[in-house]
Amino acid sequence: MTSTKTRPVAGGRTTHERRITTALFAAGLATFATMYSAQALLPSLSAAFGATPAHAALAVSLTTGVVALAILPVSALSSRFGRTRVMTVSAVSSAVIGLLLPFSPTLDVLLTGRALQGLTLAGVPAVAMAYLAEEIGPDGLGAAMGVYIAGTTFGGLAGRVIPAFTLSVASWRWAEATISVAAAVCTVWFVRGLPPSRSFVARPAGIRTVLSDLAAQLRHRGLLTLFALIFVLIGGFVSLYNFLGYRLTRPPFELPEAVAGLVFVLYLAGSAAAAITGRLADRVGRLRVLAAAVAIMAVGLAMTLPDNLVTLVIGMSLCTAGFFGAHTVAGAWVGAMANGNRGAASSLYLFAFYLGSSIIGAAGGIAYVHHGWLGLVLCVAALLIVAAILVCTLTIHANSRSGAKQPTVGI
């Protein structure tokens, strides 16, 4: 009798979790396609509006910068008003703004719209990891996080490639319209498929409560280590992709810009790695998979040094797979390790993510300008050494806390 009663519950839970992962895959597609869509449009924006590259580049940096600034307050709002409500409002608002952007009469109007998109986009990445940690059981959290991050990598790829292909036959307005419509379709998919929260408990969103929640997470040594880890890993990863195009279009490769732009297809390696490492971490342990992911990045980095297109592509594929594998494991671990308000921990993790992307990604240009690809590789190698030290720190922390209640596979 007991077994017949528990089967429907188990089946219902499986269906609930499947709906969550599918909906958040769609959310990742929409959010990251929107966030990075302007990157492929920058030369066309300069030509259309007579703007300098630095001015046009604000179409990207304004969006990501506002996302970073908005993550913490939006996460606090989700603790008060609910995860699903904030994600839904965020996704729908962003989609509506995106559909209006192709009609921008001036570049400044477009930049204002992109900044507003950053504000609205923040709701999904700020809340998604906390929502997963609350709704998905510990045995399936890694796999669910892998599916979500796979969606973000597909979205980042689509946001760059779809506009690039559209530009070959039409203007930037049609390119922007194409990716905006695609993002709107994914938003409808997300909103219709997202189930309501079952484990969410509302909390006050006053400034004192927010600061108290953030301080509680910052006192956790394990979480601080994970924040530092993603800061250095995303910084190194973004630095490589920021300047890879310059290397490919110059001697000895001298590839056409359209061909060099196809390098973002390597993000598919990140999608595959995110899905695989999430499940693998659930089986063999987070620390082992995290250490392996950093090692894979190091091997890939070394393979990019020779002036050989084949080894360069393989090396960047390994760097991409290693980074997204590490990101998947670290993101899931933050949710599992958080004290109290998981939303605060997730928002701090994402703040470190976007901060590392912005600061280190830009600073890598100094090394590249003065010392070329070798100088950039040496800087990223130094970051990977720091990452290895941080993984060792996590090992010490996990060993010190592994007691009777914490199974080895959860480490």
Side-chain angles (χ1 to χ4, degrees), residues 31-39 42 56-72 111-123 125 156 160 234 238 242 267 350-359 361-362:
T31 302
F32 281 76
T34 299
M35 193 179 303
Y36 294 106
S37 61
Q39 197 167 50
L42 298 184
L58 291 174
V60 178
S61 58
L62 276 175
T63 305
T64 55
V66 174
V67 166
L69 293 175
I71 278 177
L72 294 178
L111 295 179
T112 301
R114 289 288 293 173
L116 289 174
Q117 268 197 317
L119 182 64
T120 57
L121 282 170
R160 293 171 172 96
I234 184 61
V238 168
N242 276 351
Y267 266 57
L350 289 169
F351 179 75
F353 182 96
Y354 288 109
L355 195 65
S357 173
S358 176
I359 295 176

Side-chain angles (χ1 to χ4, degrees), residues 10-314:
R13 181 173 182 79
T14 300
T15 302
H16 179 70
E17 293 184 356
R18 188 182 299 116
R19 287 181 62 196
I20 289 172
T21 54
T22 302
L24 287 185
F25 177 83
L29 278 173
T31 302
F32 281 76
T34 299
M35 193 179 303
Y36 294 106
S37 61
Q39 197 167 50
L41 304 178
L42 298 184
S44 296
L45 293 178
S46 293
F49 295 108
T52 64
H55 190 189
L58 291 174
V60 178
S61 58
L62 276 175
T63 305
T64 55
V66 174
V67 166
L69 293 175
I71 278 177
L72 294 178
V74 168
S75 176
L77 288 176
S78 77
S79 297
R80 174 71 178 270
F81 298 107
R83 313 293 190 205
T84 56
R85 182 179 299 177
V86 169
M87 286 192 291
T88 299
V89 171
S90 171
V92 172
S93 301
S94 173
V96 171
I97 294 172
L99 292 172
L100 296 175
L101 288 180
F103 302 100
S104 300
T106 66
L107 181 58
D108 287 341
V109 172
L110 177 65
L111 295 179
T112 301
R114 289 288 293 173
L116 289 174
Q117 268 197 317
L119 182 64
T120 57
L121 282 170
V124 174
V127 177
M129 290 197 301
Y131 175 74
L132 282 173
E134 289 170 350
E135 300 297 319
I136 303 293
D139 293 338
L141 181 58
M145 189 67 69
V147 173
Y148 167 65
I149 292 178
T152 67
T153 58
F154 273 117
L157 172 63
R160 293 171 172 96
V161 173
I162 291 176
F165 277 111
T166 307
L167 284 173
S168 63
V169 296
S171 70
W172 74 268
R173 296 183 187 276
W174 283 104
E176 178 64 39
T178 301
I179 195 63
S180 295
V181 169
V185 170
C186 289
T187 298
V188 173
W189 176 15
F190 161 63
V191 173
R192 288 179 61 87
L194 185 69
S197 298
R198 291 181 176 178
S199 303
F200 172 75
V201 177
R203 295 168 57 88
I207 186 63
R208 290 183 179 179
T209 302
V210 172
L211 293 177
S212 176
D213 287 341
L214 294 175
Q217 311 309 323
L218 291 173
R219 286 193 294 267
H220 195 299
R221 293 182 181 179
L223 287 175
L224 280 176
T225 305
L226 288 171
F227 300 156
L229 179 65
I230 198 60
F231 179 86
V232 297
L233 288 180
I234 184 61
F237 176 73
V238 168
S239 294
L240 291 174
Y241 272 99
N242 276 351
F243 304 101
L244 181 60
Y246 290 97
R247 188 183 183 196
L248 290 175
T249 55
R250 295 176 179 178
F253 301 112
E254 297 184 290
L255 298 178
E257 289 186 8
V259 177
L262 293 176
V263 70
F264 290 111
V265 174
L266 296 180
Y267 266 57
L268 293 174
S271 299
I276 293 171
T277 53
R279 292 185 176 89
L280 195 60
D282 290 336
R283 294 179 182 177
V284 304
R286 299 186 181 104
L287 276 173
R288 294 176 182 176
V289 177
L290 195 56
V294 174
I296 289 172
M297 282 192 73
V299 171
L301 181 66
M303 292 184 67
T304 67
L305 280 171
D307 290 329
N308 182 288
L309 188 58
V310 174
T311 59
L312 177 59
V313 169
I314 294 174

